[in-house]
Each structure stands twice: as C-alpha cells, then as structure tokens.
Amino acid sequence: MRFDFLALFMPGQRRPPARAAEAGARAGARRATQGLARLENRLDGLYALLDAGDVRDAALLASLTAEDGDAVAAALGWSGERSLAEDRGMLGPLPDAAALAAFAGRVETRLVRLRRALAAKKAGKWATAEDRFAAVAVSRARLALVVVLVLVAGGMLFGETLARRQREHAAHVAMLLKREDATASLARIARLASRAKTATGRMLWEITGSNCSRCGCDGYDLRNAPAGDVCVRQWDAALARLGAAAGAAPEALAGLARDPWGSPYLLNENEGESPDLPLVRDTVTSVGQNGLAGDGDDITVAVPQAGRKR
C-alpha cells in the first residue's frame, strides 16, 4: 500500500477515488500536460540547433514545434491568436537564423500562456475531486511548513537571546568578583599605609616623597599600562616605600602592583599637606573596569589618619 503524504494534512478524510464521470477531464489534462512537456523539449532543441548554426535542421524542427504547440492549444480549447503553424508558414521553407530565433521567442511566449491556460483549466472545468483534495492538502502543508519555520526561527532567536543573557550575566558576575578583589586589595593597601605612618610617625606624603602620587593619571586608559608609564612608576615607587616603612615582607606586597583589570593603584597623599585642612584623609583608588580615573566606576578607600583608629 502506497503511503499518501498529503493525507496527513487531511485528518478524517481520504483521497477521493477516480470517478468515471471525471475520466474525460483527467484525459484532457493528461494530454495537455504531455503536450506541453513535448513542446518545451522541442523548443530547447530548436535553441540548441540555432546555437550550433544548423539552420536547415532548425527550420524542420520549427515546423514540428509549431504542430505540437497548436495541438496543445486545441486540447485546451485555447484560441484567439494566430496559430504557430501559420506563423511558421509565413517564414518560408528555409528561413534564416534570425527569423527562426524570433519564431522561437514567439513560441516561448506561447508556451507561458499555454501553461497558464492549463492551470486555469485544472482549477476549473478539469478539476476533479482528487485535485481539489490535493489542492487543500498542499495548502495546509505549506501552512504547516510556514508554522514550523516560524517556530524554528523563534526557537533559534530565543536560544540566542538566552545565550546572550547568560553571557551578559556571566560577565556581570565576573565584574562583581573583580570589584570585590579590588576592594580587598585596597583595604590591604590602606592598612599597609596606616602601619607605615604608625611605624615612622610621619605623614604619608613624607614617606612616599609626594603629596599626590596619582596626579597626572587622568584622561587615559590605565589598563595594561607599560612599565615606563608615569602612573605605573609612581605607584611602584610609592608601594615600595610603604612596604619598607611598614617593615612588610615582599610576599605581603604580592598582588598589590596592579588592580584586577591591569591598572596601577592611585595614591593621593592628602593628610597633613595643608594646616587649613587637618581632616582631609589619604586615599587609594582602583580606576575600575574601564581603566579611566575620575568616573563612576572608580573604587576608593580612605587610609586611617595618623594616630587615629579606623
């Protein structure tokens, strides 16, 4: 038993059997379909002969092509234009290549019209119950295909959206973890600076030799700054002096050279630089994920004042 794919789209219905009353319609449609196929093959052969320069054989095939075209038109009951046989006869027994090429073009135009006439005939007078069944089934199959494509596209879009959100969430979590690491490192630096001030009894600017080690570090990306960069050199020098003043072991300074994004930390030695501002505190800053100092993603920690507890 042959599987009927279209029946899948017609639940509760069976493909109608062939009816005797529709035999004439089926025969007419079959003859016209076969005639159109033959006409198309003739036309292809005619073009091939013209391309090869075989005008004599092309002239003969043009006559056969005209006969086939007129036979299809008769089968379809199609009229209203001069027959192809008359058109061919007006060219004479041995027309030149240009005349035959023009005739082939007219046959091609006639072929298109005959196809349309056959389609109209199948949808109307020659339509059988089986044809109507197939037409509805094909329409439903196309609709089902569109629905499937929409669902697949929607699923792919949803999957990509979900994947993008997961990537964004992972990036956000990674950023938060780095900010936590930076905050912890800043707290270590603040404690180191406090010990250095307590151990020496000096202000931070006296220990580092600068009242603003971070100055000159605004306006450019500090991430992965080269070793010769002024901000890198200023921080490295300040960190070494703080470690020496606090008596810190080298391993205690490990991990404090750069923040989690690769930028040097920025130290601003404020306390004691002006008698008019006795409460101003020293600060140490990470410039954050964008590497730029002075904007909203900076993380700043204040160093305890000399002789005071945090």
Side-chain angles (χ1 to χ4, degrees):
M1 182 179 179
R2 189 178 64 177
F3 175 70
D4 189 352
F5 174 74
L6 292 180
L8 294 175
F9 302 94
M10 303 291 284
Q13 301 182 50
R14 293 183 178 180
R15 182 184 292 270
R19 300 175 182 174
E22 298 170 341
R26 288 196 300 274
R30 184 170 56 254
R31 284 194 301 271
T33 300
Q34 293 172 348
L36 282 175
R38 187 165 51 251
L39 176 60
E40 187 171 359
N41 290 335
R42 297 278 199 201
L43 184 60
D44 289 342
L46 178 57
Y47 277 127
L49 290 173
L50 289 173
D51 290 340
D54 190 348
V55 178
R56 183 180 298 276
D57 286 345
L60 176 60
L61 186 57
S63 299
L64 298 175
T65 301
E67 292 176 5
D68 287 338
D70 290 343
V72 173
L76 292 172
W78 189 81
S79 60
E81 295 185 16
R82 185 174 60 196
S83 70
L84 291 176
E86 292 174 341
D87 192 348
R88 170 64 186 88
M90 294 176 63
L91 300 180
L94 191 60
D96 58 24
L100 288 171
F103 172 76
R106 293 192 292 275
V107 173
E108 189 168 1
T109 300
R110 181 69 58 87
L111 179 62
V112 172
R113 293 174 180 172
L114 291 174
R115 284 188 184 130
R116 292 174 181 170
L118 176 59
K121 203 84 166 177
K122 284 183 174 181
K125 186 177 180 181
W126 284 352
T128 64
E130 184 178 5
D131 292 336
R132 288 188 287 270
F133 175 91
V136 173
V138 168
S139 176
R140 291 181 179 180
R142 289 174 177 169
L143 178 60
L145 178 60
V146 170
V147 171
V148 169
L149 291 176
V150 169
L151 291 175
V152 169
M156 294 175 63
L157 180 61
F158 175 77
E160 176 58 28
T161 301
L162 182 60
R164 185 179 68 251
R165 289 182 178 177
Q166 289 175 339
R167 291 193 297 269
E168 291 172 351
H169 176 70
H172 181 67
V173 170
M175 183 269 293
L176 292 178
L177 291 175
K178 285 187 175 182
R179 289 185 71 86
E180 288 182 3
D181 290 343
T183 301
S185 295
L186 289 170
R188 288 176 58 196
I189 295 170
R191 289 193 296 269
L192 178 68
S194 180
R195 289 202 309 272
K197 290 193 291 185
T198 300
T200 61
R202 301 163 68 189
M203 295 297 180
L204 199 59
W205 63 268
E206 295 176 299
I207 297 172
T208 63
S210 172
N211 65 350
C212 185
S213 295
R214 65 151 291 153
C215 291
C217 298
D218 295 319
Y220 69 100
D221 191 345
L222 293 172
R223 292 173 296 183
N224 301 312
D229 179 83
V230 61
C231 297
V232 172
R233 289 188 286 105
Q234 288 175 171
W235 170 242
D236 288 345
L239 180 61
R241 290 170 180 169
L242 289 177
E251 56 268 18
L253 305 181
L256 300 180
R258 303 290 181 271
D259 71 9
W261 297 278
S263 302
Y265 291 99
L266 304 182
L267 185 64
N268 193 357
E269 302 92 331
N270 293 312
E271 185 182 5
E273 67 178 357
S274 173
D276 296 328
L277 300 170
L279 299 180
V280 177
R281 301 173 68 175
D282 304 314
T283 60
V284 60
T285 297
S286 164
V287 295
Q289 59 265 32
N290 67 1
L292 300 175
D295 61 12
D297 78 336
D298 290 2
I299 309 169
T300 299
V301 170
V303 178
Q305 289 183 303
R308 296 173 180 239
K309 293 184 179 180
R310 234 199 298 197

